[in-house]
Every structure is written in structure tokens, then in C-alpha cells.
Amino acid sequence: QKEVEQDPGPLSVPEGAIVSLNCTYSNSAFQYFMWYRQYSRKGPELLMYTYSSGNKEDGRFTAQVDKSSKYISLFIRDSQPSDSATYLCAMSLNDYKLSFGAGTTVTVRA
Amino acid sequence: SAVISQKPSRDICQRGTSLTIQCQVDSQVTMMFWYRQQPGQSLTLIATANQGSEATYESGFVIDKFPISRPNLTFSTLTVSNMSPEDSSIYLCSVVGGGPFGETQYFGPGTRLLVL
């Protein structure tokens, strides 16, 4: 069993739709949860970062963590073509070593 | 945030040869990391490079295959030695960003390697 499982996708949605991305994890000791966005031929860039259960909003993005269920989600509201990218979930214990999901590729159609 | 560049951006190599990838950061950083991103798979940490000391390798990665240099606080190289087609991947370097344990990281653009 992989330490972090991410819905594989790909996802294709019309502009303006809500995008929902999900990851589950097996190690209950994970404390820090992140979402990275990776455009084609670019490195990942940090999108959202949280360390507690609940929701965190940043503009059109909401990160949700449910530690009891070992489940994290990222929601993108009013999706735009510029949101087309691969989204990677990542998590860590209490150090710099990150465990990544395999990524979900999202295409937002204009 | 840190600005990271990598050279080369991509390369096609013959099996049995070696390739050295360079990573340059625009500010001094203590820790640099090297990752591998294989198609359809998670980013996997290869090693941590600290200036002035030997790199620390993760399980499954060895120094003979992936020698790393860290001559100063802004630069590191990763060499992929005696390459085989299984080494075809994207190689990324990163540095610590924020968070109490440096768990948020800034990544370079990656080096896309194809081994024939």
C-alpha cells in the first residue's frame, strides 16, 4: 500500500465548474499537508499549506483536511483555463521529507 | 521565495553514459534536495545535500549511482551514472521554504532525461 494515494484523474471540466481533488494517506502521524500545482514543463509550486483538520481558504482555493479519516481535499471554485495543471498532494511528519501523491491532471475547458 | 534554475533543461543520453545536472539558487540555503519524478509516479526524494558534508541518501538510492556535490550555499550537482532506460525521468532540485520544519519547498523547473 502506498503511503499517499491520490485520485489518478485526469479530470476535464468546463470553465466555471468546481474542481475537487482528493488524497488519502495511511500514516496517521502526518502533521503537515500541502497542495502543489505543476504546470507542464515546470517544477511544482506550493499552492496551499495547512497543519490542522478543517478548511483553509485562499481565494478560489479551499484545502480540507480530515485527520480522523486520513483524507485531504482541494477544491477550486470558478475554475479557469489557467488552472489547467497537475495537482500534487504532499504531506510530512515533522521534517522536510515530503510524501507526495502521484498527481491529478486537470484540464479546464474554455 | 527562492528562484531556482537547472541545467540542462532536457537531454537524451545513451545507456552506460553519465549526466551531471546543475542546480543554482538565487540565495544562500543550507539544505538542497534532489527528487526524481517518473511518469505517473510520485515525486521521490533521492538525497539531501548540505554544504560541507556528504549527501544523505534515501532508501533505494546510492552514492555510486547518484553522486552529489554541494560546493557552496547556492549550488549543487547531481550526476546520474551508468545510465539505463529506467533512469529516464524528470530530476528536480528544491530548497526549503517556510514552515517550522521546512516542509514547504521551492522547486526548480526540472531536467527531463531520456535514456536510449
PDB file of all heavy atoms in Angstrom, chain A residues 32 34 36 38 41-44 46 49 92 94-98 100-102, chain B residues 10 31 33 35 37 40 42-43 48 58 100-101 103-105 107-109 112:
ATOM      1  N   TYR A  32       1.612  17.803   8.506  1.00  0.00           N
ATOM      2  CA  TYR A  32       1.567  18.962   7.621  1.00  0.00           C
ATOM      3  C   TYR A  32       1.104  18.506   6.246  1.00  0.00           C
ATOM      4  O   TYR A  32       1.577  17.493   5.731  1.00  0.00           O
ATOM      5  CB  TYR A  32       2.946  19.618   7.544  1.00  0.00           C
ATOM      6  CG  TYR A  32       3.433  20.060   8.885  1.00  0.00           C
ATOM      7  CD1 TYR A  32       4.263  19.244   9.639  1.00  0.00           C
ATOM      8  CD2 TYR A  32       3.030  21.271   9.424  1.00  0.00           C
ATOM      9  CE1 TYR A  32       4.696  19.628  10.893  1.00  0.00           C
ATOM     10  CE2 TYR A  32       3.467  21.664  10.676  1.00  0.00           C
ATOM     11  CZ  TYR A  32       4.291  20.838  11.407  1.00  0.00           C
ATOM     12  OH  TYR A  32       4.698  21.226  12.649  1.00  0.00           O
ATOM     13  N   MET A  34       0.015  19.668   2.210  1.00  0.00           N
ATOM     14  CA  MET A  34       0.244  20.672   1.192  1.00  0.00           C
ATOM     15  C   MET A  34      -0.364  20.250  -0.137  1.00  0.00           C
ATOM     16  O   MET A  34      -0.541  19.047  -0.393  1.00  0.00           O
ATOM     17  CB  MET A  34       1.751  20.873   0.978  1.00  0.00           C
ATOM     18  CG  MET A  34       2.429  21.564   2.134  1.00  0.00           C
ATOM     19  SD  MET A  34       4.082  20.879   2.434  1.00  0.00           S
ATOM     20  CE  MET A  34       3.674  19.459   3.444  1.00  0.00           C
ATOM     21  N   TYR A  36       0.503  21.155  -4.155  1.00  0.00           N
ATOM     22  CA  TYR A  36       1.377  21.802  -5.113  1.00  0.00           C
ATOM     23  C   TYR A  36       0.688  21.763  -6.486  1.00  0.00           C
ATOM     24  O   TYR A  36      -0.009  20.813  -6.826  1.00  0.00           O
ATOM     25  CB  TYR A  36       2.721  21.079  -5.220  1.00  0.00           C
ATOM     26  CG  TYR A  36       3.666  21.341  -4.072  1.00  0.00           C
ATOM     27  CD1 TYR A  36       3.556  20.637  -2.870  1.00  0.00           C
ATOM     28  CD2 TYR A  36       4.662  22.307  -4.196  1.00  0.00           C
ATOM     29  CE1 TYR A  36       4.425  20.883  -1.818  1.00  0.00           C
ATOM     30  CE2 TYR A  36       5.529  22.556  -3.146  1.00  0.00           C
ATOM     31  CZ  TYR A  36       5.410  21.838  -1.962  1.00  0.00           C
ATOM     32  OH  TYR A  36       6.264  22.090  -0.929  1.00  0.00           O
ATOM     33  N   GLN A  38       1.588  21.976 -10.594  1.00  0.00           N
ATOM     34  CA  GLN A  38       2.702  21.825 -11.532  1.00  0.00           C
ATOM     35  C   GLN A  38       2.184  22.015 -12.953  1.00  0.00           C
ATOM     36  O   GLN A  38       1.440  21.183 -13.470  1.00  0.00           O
ATOM     37  CB  GLN A  38       3.358  20.446 -11.374  1.00  0.00           C
ATOM     38  CG  GLN A  38       4.597  20.264 -12.217  1.00  0.00           C
ATOM     39  CD  GLN A  38       5.319  18.954 -11.934  1.00  0.00           C
ATOM     40  OE1 GLN A  38       4.732  18.002 -11.420  1.00  0.00           O
ATOM     41  NE2 GLN A  38       6.606  18.898 -12.245  1.00  0.00           N
ATOM     42  N   ARG A  41       6.015  21.142 -17.951  1.00  0.00           N
ATOM     43  CA  ARG A  41       7.420  21.517 -18.130  1.00  0.00           C
ATOM     44  C   ARG A  41       7.915  22.533 -17.095  1.00  0.00           C
ATOM     45  O   ARG A  41       8.863  23.295 -17.357  1.00  0.00           O
ATOM     46  CB  ARG A  41       7.687  22.027 -19.544  1.00  0.00           C
ATOM     47  CG  ARG A  41       7.277  21.024 -20.604  1.00  0.00           C
ATOM     48  CD  ARG A  41       7.784  21.365 -21.980  1.00  0.00           C
ATOM     49  NE  ARG A  41       7.345  20.381 -22.946  1.00  0.00           N
ATOM     50  CZ  ARG A  41       7.896  19.184 -23.088  1.00  0.00           C
ATOM     51  NH1 ARG A  41       8.887  18.825 -22.337  1.00  0.00           N
ATOM     52  NH2 ARG A  41       7.437  18.336 -24.000  1.00  0.00           N
ATOM     53  N   LYS A  42       7.236  22.548 -15.949  1.00  0.00           N
ATOM     54  CA  LYS A  42       7.667  23.396 -14.850  1.00  0.00           C
ATOM     55  C   LYS A  42       7.795  22.550 -13.586  1.00  0.00           C
ATOM     56  O   LYS A  42       7.298  21.419 -13.524  1.00  0.00           O
ATOM     57  CB  LYS A  42       6.631  24.503 -14.595  1.00  0.00           C
ATOM     58  CG  LYS A  42       6.390  25.432 -15.776  1.00  0.00           C
ATOM     59  CD  LYS A  42       7.546  26.362 -16.011  1.00  0.00           C
ATOM     60  CE  LYS A  42       7.208  27.375 -17.081  1.00  0.00           C
ATOM     61  NZ  LYS A  42       8.361  28.283 -17.358  1.00  0.00           N
ATOM     62  N   GLY A  43       8.466  23.105 -12.574  1.00  0.00           N
ATOM     63  CA  GLY A  43       8.529  22.435 -11.288  1.00  0.00           C
ATOM     64  C   GLY A  43       7.274  22.716 -10.475  1.00  0.00           C
ATOM     65  O   GLY A  43       6.537  23.665 -10.746  1.00  0.00           O
ATOM     66  N   PRO A  44       7.009  21.888  -9.467  1.00  0.00           N
ATOM     67  CA  PRO A  44       5.841  22.134  -8.603  1.00  0.00           C
ATOM     68  C   PRO A  44       5.983  23.454  -7.849  1.00  0.00           C
ATOM     69  O   PRO A  44       7.079  23.837  -7.453  1.00  0.00           O
ATOM     70  CB  PRO A  44       5.884  20.945  -7.628  1.00  0.00           C
ATOM     71  CG  PRO A  44       6.755  19.912  -8.270  1.00  0.00           C
ATOM     72  CD  PRO A  44       7.756  20.673  -9.073  1.00  0.00           C
ATOM     73  N   LEU A  46       4.126  25.630  -4.542  1.00  0.00           N
ATOM     74  CA  LEU A  46       3.238  25.476  -3.404  1.00  0.00           C
ATOM     75  C   LEU A  46       1.977  26.299  -3.605  1.00  0.00           C
ATOM     76  O   LEU A  46       2.025  27.482  -3.900  1.00  0.00           O
ATOM     77  CB  LEU A  46       3.947  25.903  -2.117  1.00  0.00           C
ATOM     78  CG  LEU A  46       3.132  25.740  -0.838  1.00  0.00           C
ATOM     79  CD1 LEU A  46       2.906  24.267  -0.552  1.00  0.00           C
ATOM     80  CD2 LEU A  46       3.845  26.410   0.325  1.00  0.00           C
ATOM     81  N   TYR A  49      -1.119  25.224   2.140  1.00  0.00           N
ATOM     82  CA  TYR A  49      -0.372  24.576   3.214  1.00  0.00           C
ATOM     83  C   TYR A  49      -1.214  24.650   4.481  1.00  0.00           C
ATOM     84  O   TYR A  49      -1.686  25.725   4.840  1.00  0.00           O
ATOM     85  CB  TYR A  49       0.959  25.280   3.414  1.00  0.00           C
ATOM     86  CG  TYR A  49       1.659  24.986   4.708  1.00  0.00           C
ATOM     87  CD1 TYR A  49       2.188  23.736   4.936  1.00  0.00           C
ATOM     88  CD2 TYR A  49       1.796  25.962   5.693  1.00  0.00           C
ATOM     89  CE1 TYR A  49       2.842  23.461   6.122  1.00  0.00           C
ATOM     90  CE2 TYR A  49       2.444  25.691   6.884  1.00  0.00           C
ATOM     91  CZ  TYR A  49       2.966  24.442   7.094  1.00  0.00           C
ATOM     92  OH  TYR A  49       3.619  24.162   8.272  1.00  0.00           O
ATOM     93  N   SER A  92       3.903  15.720   5.386  1.00  0.00           N
ATOM     94  CA  SER A  92       5.140  15.426   6.086  1.00  0.00           C
ATOM     95  C   SER A  92       4.854  15.173   7.563  1.00  0.00           C
ATOM     96  O   SER A  92       3.804  15.553   8.086  1.00  0.00           O
ATOM     97  CB  SER A  92       6.150  16.559   5.919  1.00  0.00           C
ATOM     98  OG  SER A  92       5.757  17.683   6.652  1.00  0.00           O
ATOM     99  N   ASN A  94       7.327  15.689  10.720  1.00  0.00           N
ATOM    100  CA  ASN A  94       7.789  16.921  11.358  1.00  0.00           C
ATOM    101  C   ASN A  94       9.152  17.302  10.838  1.00  0.00           C
ATOM    102  O   ASN A  94       9.994  17.774  11.566  1.00  0.00           O
ATOM    103  CB  ASN A  94       7.815  16.770  12.873  1.00  0.00           C
ATOM    104  CG  ASN A  94       8.731  15.620  13.305  1.00  0.00           C
ATOM    105  OD1 ASN A  94       9.292  14.941  12.467  1.00  0.00           O
ATOM    106  ND2 ASN A  94       8.857  15.424  14.590  1.00  0.00           N
ATOM    107  N   ASP A  95       9.368  17.003   9.540  1.00  0.00           N
ATOM    108  CA  ASP A  95      10.632  17.390   8.953  1.00  0.00           C
ATOM    109  C   ASP A  95      10.432  17.707   7.472  1.00  0.00           C
ATOM    110  O   ASP A  95       9.314  17.800   7.006  1.00  0.00           O
ATOM    111  CB  ASP A  95      11.687  16.299   9.150  1.00  0.00           C
ATOM    112  CG  ASP A  95      11.302  14.971   8.480  1.00  0.00           C
ATOM    113  OD1 ASP A  95      10.399  14.973   7.632  1.00  0.00           O
ATOM    114  OD2 ASP A  95      11.922  13.960   8.817  1.00  0.00           O
ATOM    115  N   TYR A  96      11.525  17.849   6.791  1.00  0.00           N
ATOM    116  CA  TYR A  96      11.479  18.303   5.414  1.00  0.00           C
ATOM    117  C   TYR A  96      11.155  17.194   4.418  1.00  0.00           C
ATOM    118  O   TYR A  96      11.018  17.440   3.232  1.00  0.00           O
ATOM    119  CB  TYR A  96      12.835  18.905   5.048  1.00  0.00           C
ATOM    120  CG  TYR A  96      13.980  17.964   5.312  1.00  0.00           C
ATOM    121  CD1 TYR A  96      14.304  16.961   4.401  1.00  0.00           C
ATOM    122  CD2 TYR A  96      14.712  18.038   6.493  1.00  0.00           C
ATOM    123  CE1 TYR A  96      15.327  16.066   4.652  1.00  0.00           C
ATOM    124  CE2 TYR A  96      15.743  17.151   6.744  1.00  0.00           C
ATOM    125  CZ  TYR A  96      16.044  16.165   5.830  1.00  0.00           C
ATOM    126  OH  TYR A  96      17.055  15.285   6.083  1.00  0.00           O
ATOM    127  N   LYS A  97      11.048  15.957   4.903  1.00  0.00           N
ATOM    128  CA  LYS A  97      10.798  14.856   3.974  1.00  0.00           C
ATOM    129  C   LYS A  97       9.315  14.813   3.624  1.00  0.00           C
ATOM    130  O   LYS A  97       8.469  14.606   4.491  1.00  0.00           O
ATOM    131  CB  LYS A  97      11.238  13.532   4.582  1.00  0.00           C
ATOM    132  CG  LYS A  97      12.728  13.446   4.809  1.00  0.00           C
ATOM    133  CD  LYS A  97      13.152  12.064   5.273  1.00  0.00           C
ATOM    134  CE  LYS A  97      14.647  12.027   5.547  1.00  0.00           C
ATOM    135  NZ  LYS A  97      15.085  10.692   5.996  1.00  0.00           N
ATOM    136  N   LEU A  98       9.041  15.031   2.355  1.00  0.00           N
ATOM    137  CA  LEU A  98       7.662  15.082   1.881  1.00  0.00           C
ATOM    138  C   LEU A  98       7.276  13.763   1.230  1.00  0.00           C
ATOM    139  O   LEU A  98       8.063  13.175   0.487  1.00  0.00           O
ATOM    140  CB  LEU A  98       7.494  16.212   0.863  1.00  0.00           C
ATOM    141  CG  LEU A  98       7.865  17.612   1.344  1.00  0.00           C
ATOM    142  CD1 LEU A  98       7.659  18.623   0.225  1.00  0.00           C
ATOM    143  CD2 LEU A  98       7.054  17.999   2.564  1.00  0.00           C
ATOM    144  N   PHE A 100       4.614  12.447  -1.436  1.00  0.00           N
ATOM    145  CA  PHE A 100       3.752  13.013  -2.465  1.00  0.00           C
ATOM    146  C   PHE A 100       2.762  11.985  -2.987  1.00  0.00           C
ATOM    147  O   PHE A 100       3.066  10.783  -3.061  1.00  0.00           O
ATOM    148  CB  PHE A 100       4.597  13.496  -3.652  1.00  0.00           C
ATOM    149  CG  PHE A 100       5.294  14.797  -3.446  1.00  0.00           C
ATOM    150  CD1 PHE A 100       6.562  14.836  -2.878  1.00  0.00           C
ATOM    151  CD2 PHE A 100       4.700  15.985  -3.842  1.00  0.00           C
ATOM    152  CE1 PHE A 100       7.209  16.041  -2.693  1.00  0.00           C
ATOM    153  CE2 PHE A 100       5.344  17.199  -3.663  1.00  0.00           C
ATOM    154  CZ  PHE A 100       6.605  17.226  -3.087  1.00  0.00           C
ATOM    155  N   GLY A 101       1.598  12.480  -3.421  1.00  0.00           N
ATOM    156  CA  GLY A 101       0.722  11.679  -4.256  1.00  0.00           C
ATOM    157  C   GLY A 101       1.256  11.712  -5.680  1.00  0.00           C
ATOM    158  O   GLY A 101       2.145  12.492  -6.016  1.00  0.00           O
ATOM    159  N   ALA A 102       0.684  10.874  -6.534  1.00  0.00           N
ATOM    160  CA  ALA A 102       1.171  10.757  -7.910  1.00  0.00           C
ATOM    161  C   ALA A 102       0.686  11.893  -8.795  1.00  0.00           C
ATOM    162  O   ALA A 102       1.181  12.066  -9.911  1.00  0.00           O
ATOM    163  CB  ALA A 102       0.787   9.414  -8.506  1.00  0.00           C
TER     164      ALA A 102
ATOM    165  N   ARG B  10      16.763  19.616 -20.553  1.00  0.00           N
ATOM    166  CA  ARG B  10      16.431  18.279 -21.035  1.00  0.00           C
ATOM    167  C   ARG B  10      17.646  17.694 -21.747  1.00  0.00           C
ATOM    168  O   ARG B  10      18.532  18.424 -22.189  1.00  0.00           O
ATOM    169  CB  ARG B  10      15.229  18.316 -21.972  1.00  0.00           C
ATOM    170  CG  ARG B  10      15.416  19.164 -23.209  1.00  0.00           C
ATOM    171  CD  ARG B  10      14.126  19.366 -23.962  1.00  0.00           C
ATOM    172  NE  ARG B  10      13.434  18.109 -24.208  1.00  0.00           N
ATOM    173  CZ  ARG B  10      12.182  18.026 -24.592  1.00  0.00           C
ATOM    174  NH1 ARG B  10      11.463  19.106 -24.760  1.00  0.00           N
ATOM    175  NH2 ARG B  10      11.612  16.850 -24.802  1.00  0.00           N
ATOM    176  N   MET B  31      20.038  23.690   3.060  1.00  0.00           N
ATOM    177  CA  MET B  31      19.673  22.362   2.573  1.00  0.00           C
ATOM    178  C   MET B  31      19.143  22.448   1.143  1.00  0.00           C
ATOM    179  O   MET B  31      18.335  23.318   0.820  1.00  0.00           O
ATOM    180  CB  MET B  31      18.603  21.737   3.466  1.00  0.00           C
ATOM    181  CG  MET B  31      19.048  21.548   4.913  1.00  0.00           C
ATOM    182  SD  MET B  31      17.719  20.962   5.977  1.00  0.00           S
ATOM    183  CE  MET B  31      17.681  19.244   5.506  1.00  0.00           C
ATOM    184  N   PHE B  33      17.661  19.685  -1.977  1.00  0.00           N
ATOM    185  CA  PHE B  33      17.133  18.340  -2.144  1.00  0.00           C
ATOM    186  C   PHE B  33      17.092  17.980  -3.622  1.00  0.00           C
ATOM    187  O   PHE B  33      16.856  18.833  -4.479  1.00  0.00           O
ATOM    188  CB  PHE B  33      15.712  18.241  -1.583  1.00  0.00           C
ATOM    189  CG  PHE B  33      15.564  18.765  -0.184  1.00  0.00           C
ATOM    190  CD1 PHE B  33      15.114  20.049   0.047  1.00  0.00           C
ATOM    191  CD2 PHE B  33      15.886  17.966   0.896  1.00  0.00           C
ATOM    192  CE1 PHE B  33      14.985  20.540   1.334  1.00  0.00           C
ATOM    193  CE2 PHE B  33      15.761  18.453   2.191  1.00  0.00           C
ATOM    194  CZ  PHE B  33      15.307  19.738   2.410  1.00  0.00           C
ATOM    195  N   TYR B  35      15.117  15.329  -6.257  1.00  0.00           N
ATOM    196  CA  TYR B  35      13.972  14.433  -6.411  1.00  0.00           C
ATOM    197  C   TYR B  35      13.983  13.813  -7.800  1.00  0.00           C
ATOM    198  O   TYR B  35      14.540  14.369  -8.752  1.00  0.00           O
ATOM    199  CB  TYR B  35      12.662  15.211  -6.278  1.00  0.00           C
ATOM    200  CG  TYR B  35      12.277  15.636  -4.892  1.00  0.00           C
ATOM    201  CD1 TYR B  35      12.779  16.795  -4.335  1.00  0.00           C
ATOM    202  CD2 TYR B  35      11.368  14.881  -4.141  1.00  0.00           C
ATOM    203  CE1 TYR B  35      12.399  17.204  -3.064  1.00  0.00           C
ATOM    204  CE2 TYR B  35      10.982  15.281  -2.874  1.00  0.00           C
ATOM    205  CZ  TYR B  35      11.495  16.447  -2.350  1.00  0.00           C
ATOM    206  OH  TYR B  35      11.102  16.844  -1.097  1.00  0.00           O
ATOM    207  N   GLN B  37      11.068  12.324 -10.585  1.00  0.00           N
ATOM    208  CA  GLN B  37       9.644  12.265 -10.908  1.00  0.00           C
ATOM    209  C   GLN B  37       9.475  11.401 -12.144  1.00  0.00           C
ATOM    210  O   GLN B  37       9.682  11.861 -13.272  1.00  0.00           O
ATOM    211  CB  GLN B  37       9.071  13.670 -11.134  1.00  0.00           C
ATOM    212  CG  GLN B  37       7.565  13.686 -11.318  1.00  0.00           C
ATOM    213  CD  GLN B  37       7.013  15.114 -11.444  1.00  0.00           C
ATOM    214  OE1 GLN B  37       7.703  16.028 -11.895  1.00  0.00           O
ATOM    215  NE2 GLN B  37       5.759  15.317 -11.034  1.00  0.00           N
ATOM    216  N   GLY B  40       3.840   9.173 -14.205  1.00  0.00           N
ATOM    217  CA  GLY B  40       2.726   8.559 -13.497  1.00  0.00           C
ATOM    218  C   GLY B  40       3.024   8.184 -12.053  1.00  0.00           C
ATOM    219  O   GLY B  40       2.199   7.540 -11.397  1.00  0.00           O
ATOM    220  N   SER B  42       4.849   9.246  -8.036  1.00  0.00           N
ATOM    221  CA  SER B  42       5.062  10.344  -7.092  1.00  0.00           C
ATOM    222  C   SER B  42       6.470  10.893  -7.216  1.00  0.00           C
ATOM    223  O   SER B  42       7.397  10.179  -7.628  1.00  0.00           O
ATOM    224  CB  SER B  42       4.873   9.846  -5.661  1.00  0.00           C
ATOM    225  OG  SER B  42       3.732   9.047  -5.532  1.00  0.00           O
ATOM    226  N   LEU B  43       6.625  12.140  -6.811  1.00  0.00           N
ATOM    227  CA  LEU B  43       7.978  12.666  -6.621  1.00  0.00           C
ATOM    228  C   LEU B  43       8.636  11.851  -5.514  1.00  0.00           C
ATOM    229  O   LEU B  43       8.042  11.627  -4.461  1.00  0.00           O
ATOM    230  CB  LEU B  43       7.957  14.124  -6.185  1.00  0.00           C
ATOM    231  CG  LEU B  43       8.080  15.191  -7.251  1.00  0.00           C
ATOM    232  CD1 LEU B  43       6.757  15.345  -7.970  1.00  0.00           C
ATOM    233  CD2 LEU B  43       8.520  16.514  -6.642  1.00  0.00           C
ATOM    234  N   THR B  48      19.471  14.439   0.236  1.00  0.00           N
ATOM    235  CA  THR B  48      19.570  15.787   0.785  1.00  0.00           C
ATOM    236  C   THR B  48      21.023  16.205   0.734  1.00  0.00           C
ATOM    237  O   THR B  48      21.913  15.448   1.159  1.00  0.00           O
ATOM    238  CB  THR B  48      19.081  15.795   2.240  1.00  0.00           C
ATOM    239  OG1 THR B  48      17.739  15.325   2.264  1.00  0.00           O
ATOM    240  CG2 THR B  48      19.139  17.193   2.828  1.00  0.00           C
ATOM    241  N   GLU B  58      18.346   8.575   0.416  1.00  0.00           N
ATOM    242  CA  GLU B  58      17.145   7.852   0.847  1.00  0.00           C
ATOM    243  C   GLU B  58      17.275   6.387   0.448  1.00  0.00           C
ATOM    244  O   GLU B  58      18.092   6.006  -0.405  1.00  0.00           O
ATOM    245  CB  GLU B  58      15.904   8.465   0.216  1.00  0.00           C
ATOM    246  CG  GLU B  58      15.658   9.904   0.645  1.00  0.00           C
ATOM    247  CD  GLU B  58      15.513  10.050   2.145  1.00  0.00           C
ATOM    248  OE1 GLU B  58      14.653   9.357   2.744  1.00  0.00           O
ATOM    249  OE2 GLU B  58      16.251  10.871   2.731  1.00  0.00           O
ATOM    250  N   PRO B 100       7.635  25.339  10.045  1.00  0.00           N
ATOM    251  CA  PRO B 100       8.568  25.144  11.166  1.00  0.00           C
ATOM    252  C   PRO B 100       9.662  24.112  10.886  1.00  0.00           C
ATOM    253  O   PRO B 100      10.728  24.181  11.497  1.00  0.00           O
ATOM    254  CB  PRO B 100       7.652  24.674  12.303  1.00  0.00           C
ATOM    255  CG  PRO B 100       6.412  24.210  11.644  1.00  0.00           C
ATOM    256  CD  PRO B 100       6.249  25.016  10.411  1.00  0.00           C
ATOM    257  N   PHE B 101       9.427  23.207   9.979  1.00  0.00           N
ATOM    258  CA  PHE B 101      10.434  22.188   9.681  1.00  0.00           C
ATOM    259  C   PHE B 101      10.873  22.228   8.229  1.00  0.00           C
ATOM    260  O   PHE B 101      11.444  21.262   7.732  1.00  0.00           O
ATOM    261  CB  PHE B 101       9.885  20.798  10.038  1.00  0.00           C
ATOM    262  CG  PHE B 101       9.543  20.658  11.490  1.00  0.00           C
ATOM    263  CD1 PHE B 101       8.229  20.713  11.914  1.00  0.00           C
ATOM    264  CD2 PHE B 101      10.537  20.495  12.424  1.00  0.00           C
ATOM    265  CE1 PHE B 101       7.907  20.596  13.242  1.00  0.00           C
ATOM    266  CE2 PHE B 101      10.228  20.367  13.759  1.00  0.00           C
ATOM    267  CZ  PHE B 101       8.913  20.418  14.179  1.00  0.00           C
ATOM    268  N   GLU B 103       8.986  22.216   5.680  1.00  0.00           N
ATOM    269  CA  GLU B 103       8.209  21.260   4.898  1.00  0.00           C
ATOM    270  C   GLU B 103       7.640  21.867   3.623  1.00  0.00           C
ATOM    271  O   GLU B 103       7.212  21.131   2.740  1.00  0.00           O
ATOM    272  CB  GLU B 103       7.081  20.639   5.745  1.00  0.00           C
ATOM    273  CG  GLU B 103       6.084  21.611   6.278  1.00  0.00           C
ATOM    274  CD  GLU B 103       6.532  22.241   7.592  1.00  0.00           C
ATOM    275  OE1 GLU B 103       7.710  22.104   7.960  1.00  0.00           O
ATOM    276  OE2 GLU B 103       5.696  22.890   8.243  1.00  0.00           O
ATOM    277  N   THR B 104       7.607  23.189   3.505  1.00  0.00           N
ATOM    278  CA  THR B 104       7.219  23.781   2.225  1.00  0.00           C
ATOM    279  C   THR B 104       8.493  24.045   1.454  1.00  0.00           C
ATOM    280  O   THR B 104       9.462  24.576   1.996  1.00  0.00           O
ATOM    281  CB  THR B 104       6.442  25.089   2.419  1.00  0.00           C
ATOM    282  OG1 THR B 104       7.272  26.037   3.089  1.00  0.00           O
ATOM    283  CG2 THR B 104       5.193  24.865   3.220  1.00  0.00           C
ATOM    284  N   GLN B 105       8.531  23.637   0.221  1.00  0.00           N
ATOM    285  CA  GLN B 105       9.761  23.703  -0.559  1.00  0.00           C
ATOM    286  C   GLN B 105       9.522  24.401  -1.889  1.00  0.00           C
ATOM    287  O   GLN B 105       8.432  24.358  -2.451  1.00  0.00           O
ATOM    288  CB  GLN B 105      10.297  22.290  -0.793  1.00  0.00           C
ATOM    289  CG  GLN B 105      10.721  21.603   0.501  1.00  0.00           C
ATOM    290  CD  GLN B 105      11.216  20.191   0.316  1.00  0.00           C
ATOM    291  OE1 GLN B 105      11.505  19.748  -0.798  1.00  0.00           O
ATOM    292  NE2 GLN B 105      11.305  19.465   1.416  1.00  0.00           N
ATOM    293  N   PHE B 107      10.757  24.496  -5.801  1.00  0.00           N
ATOM    294  CA  PHE B 107      11.339  23.555  -6.752  1.00  0.00           C
ATOM    295  C   PHE B 107      11.891  24.272  -7.981  1.00  0.00           C
ATOM    296  O   PHE B 107      11.375  25.307  -8.403  1.00  0.00           O
ATOM    297  CB  PHE B 107      10.278  22.552  -7.223  1.00  0.00           C
ATOM    298  CG  PHE B 107       9.928  21.514  -6.200  1.00  0.00           C
ATOM    299  CD1 PHE B 107       8.983  21.767  -5.222  1.00  0.00           C
ATOM    300  CD2 PHE B 107      10.563  20.275  -6.213  1.00  0.00           C
ATOM    301  CE1 PHE B 107       8.676  20.811  -4.265  1.00  0.00           C
ATOM    302  CE2 PHE B 107      10.250  19.312  -5.265  1.00  0.00           C
ATOM    303  CZ  PHE B 107       9.308  19.587  -4.291  1.00  0.00           C
ATOM    304  N   GLY B 108      12.925  23.684  -8.530  1.00  0.00           N
ATOM    305  CA  GLY B 108      13.412  24.127  -9.823  1.00  0.00           C
ATOM    306  C   GLY B 108      12.519  23.604 -10.926  1.00  0.00           C
ATOM    307  O   GLY B 108      11.590  22.825 -10.677  1.00  0.00           O
ATOM    308  N   PRO B 109      12.794  24.000 -12.172  1.00  0.00           N
ATOM    309  CA  PRO B 109      11.939  23.622 -13.300  1.00  0.00           C
ATOM    310  C   PRO B 109      12.110  22.182 -13.737  1.00  0.00           C
ATOM    311  O   PRO B 109      11.277  21.664 -14.492  1.00  0.00           O
ATOM    312  CB  PRO B 109      12.372  24.587 -14.409  1.00  0.00           C
ATOM    313  CG  PRO B 109      13.777  24.912 -14.058  1.00  0.00           C
ATOM    314  CD  PRO B 109      13.845  24.937 -12.568  1.00  0.00           C
ATOM    315  N   ARG B 112      14.634  17.070 -17.783  1.00  0.00           N
ATOM    316  CA  ARG B 112      13.965  15.911 -18.386  1.00  0.00           C
ATOM    317  C   ARG B 112      14.994  15.057 -19.095  1.00  0.00           C
ATOM    318  O   ARG B 112      15.630  15.503 -20.039  1.00  0.00           O
ATOM    319  CB  ARG B 112      12.881  16.392 -19.364  1.00  0.00           C
ATOM    320  CG  ARG B 112      11.666  16.878 -18.619  1.00  0.00           C
ATOM    321  CD  ARG B 112      10.878  17.945 -19.340  1.00  0.00           C
ATOM    322  NE  ARG B 112       9.782  18.398 -18.502  1.00  0.00           N
ATOM    323  CZ  ARG B 112       9.900  19.263 -17.499  1.00  0.00           C
ATOM    324  NH1 ARG B 112      11.048  19.803 -17.242  1.00  0.00           N
ATOM    325  NH2 ARG B 112       8.849  19.592 -16.763  1.00  0.00           N
TER     326      ARG B 112
END
